[in-house]
Amino acid sequence: MAKPVLIANWKMNKTQADVYDFFDAMKSFSGWDEIAEWVICPPSLYLNSCFEPCGLFNISLGGQDVSAYEEGAYTGDVSATMLHNLGCTFVIIGHSERRHYVGESTELCMEKIQQALRVELTPVYCIGESFEQRQEGRWKQCLLEQLSPLLSMPEKSVGKCMIAYEPVWAIGTGQAATLQQIEEVHAFIRSLINESHQTLAKTTKILYGGSVKPESARALFAAQGVDGFLIGGASLEVDSFYNIGVACSHSC
Ligand code: PGA
């Protein structure tokens, strides 16, 4: 069985000192490499300081966002080239917090994906329905709208992306989606991929995100079609991040 992909999304948390403490604490846990394919996405200001310790543990580095532009007068933006130069190999794109707080559209996300692919960063494209959309039975329509523009890209581009299904109502709430909901959605996503790029339907990595904890990880990883997790709160402490990996390795 393939190792799970476990991506830490630290969001806007930690001081520089906390970052050093995190990597120090990692030394108390062994076998990182065997357990999972780990990725850490710190705030961009800390990327430089994370590169070396990540390398020691064979952990990949990722950005939490990327500019839709290549370079120039875009105050505050971080370009794909900059992420690449700092050693990133992944980048999260379209996280619901960016869609909701900053108003990012799916169209903008596609431009960001193009930028990421230009420098060979793996885009982790986040999709997910709101609570209302789930309540009103409109989750398929929402996911279709978020996914279709990606799936209309050529196979060689889509094949370089990972997809993270993150229902908005499960993020940071302590209330993860149920096994049944996750399996249904992941199967739906794979069926959409199958319609446009048959060869990618089985191989595309689809992660789940939303209140994944060490206690729930084992059961969630057993869900059909789940290749790993995008983890917020539980990735901030080394022991819970590590124990999510351990739980996955005990999952059948
Ligand atoms: P959470 O966040 O694990 O704290 O729910 C997940 C995410 O937003 O990626």
Side-chain angles (χ1 to χ4, degrees):
M1 197 173 169
K3 282 193 275 189
V5 179
L6 300 178
I7 305 182
N9 176 10
W10 284 354
K11 308 190 181 183
M12 199 172 70
N13 290 295
K14 293 192 186 293
T15 63
Q16 180 68 77
D18 295 335
V19 172
Y20 291 132
D21 288 347
F22 184 94
F23 288 109
D24 244 10
M26 278 184 67
K27 293 176 191 149
S28 319
F29 298 82
S30 60
W32 286 91
D33 230 6
E34 290 106 67
I35 296 172
E37 191 183 321
W38 307 90
V39 184
I40 292 182
C41 302
S44 54
L45 280 174
Y46 303 142
L47 283 167
N48 205 21
S49 62
C50 291
F51 177 70
E52 207 180 302
C54 274
L56 293 176
F57 292 94
N58 205 11
I59 288 177
S60 304
L61 196 56
Q64 295 179 11
D65 181 36
V66 66
S67 176
Y69 307 101
E70 196 168 328
E71 66 171 341
Y74 302 103
T75 304
D77 269 17
V78 173
S79 74
T81 306
M82 292 169 185
L83 292 178
H84 181 254
N85 285 349
L86 286 175
C88 289
T89 46
F90 285 80
V91 62
I92 298 170
I93 292 174
H95 190 281
S96 76
E97 285 148 17
R98 297 210 59 85
R99 290 182 192 262
H100 291 104
Y101 299 139
V102 193
E104 284 192 4
S105 64
T106 292
E107 198 183 12
L108 186 77
C109 293
M110 294 307 116
E111 287 167 22
K112 293 184 171 199
I113 287 177
Q114 299 287 9
Q115 284 299 316
L117 292 175
R118 183 176 58 78
V119 294
E120 310 261 306
L121 293 173
T122 298
V124 180
Y125 179 52
C126 301
I127 59 172
E129 81 284 1
S130 66
F131 181 71
E132 292 74 34
Q133 287 166 325
R134 165 77 42 188
Q135 289 294 95
E136 293 162 9
R138 292 189 288 118
W139 62 268
K140 279 192 179 174
Q141 188 191 328
C142 164
L143 297 181
L144 183 64
E145 281 167 14
Q146 293 173 337
L147 211 48
S148 297
L150 175 75
L151 297 179
S152 65
M153 287 186 192
E155 186 163 315
K156 71 174 185 351
S157 300
V158 182
K160 289 178 182 149
C161 297
M162 289 189 187
I163 294 167
Y165 168 55
E166 296 208 305
V168 178
W169 47 271
I171 297 174
T173 60
Q175 166 107 54
T178 66
L179 213 65
Q180 196 191 356
Q181 287 168 330
I182 296 172
E183 287 186 343
E184 191 179 17
V185 172
H186 282 227
F188 176 64
I189 295 170
R190 285 196 198 281
S191 74
L192 293 179
I193 301 173
N194 191 49
E195 281 170 22
S196 49
H197 303 291
Q198 208 184 353
T199 53
L200 300 177
K202 285 208 176 95
T203 53
T204 302
K205 299 251 189 224
I206 307 178
L207 316 180
Y208 166 77
S211 297
V212 176
K213 307 283 176 219
E215 309 80 55
S216 57
R218 184 173 177 166
L220 294 177
F221 191 61
Q224 192 87 32
V226 171
D227 297 302
F229 300 124
L230 182 53
I231 308 154
S235 72
L236 292 171
E237 299 299 329
V238 176
D239 59 345
S240 53
F241 190 38
Y242 178 83
N243 282 323
I244 288 173
V246 172
C248 291
S249 63
H250 291 152
S251 187
C252 50

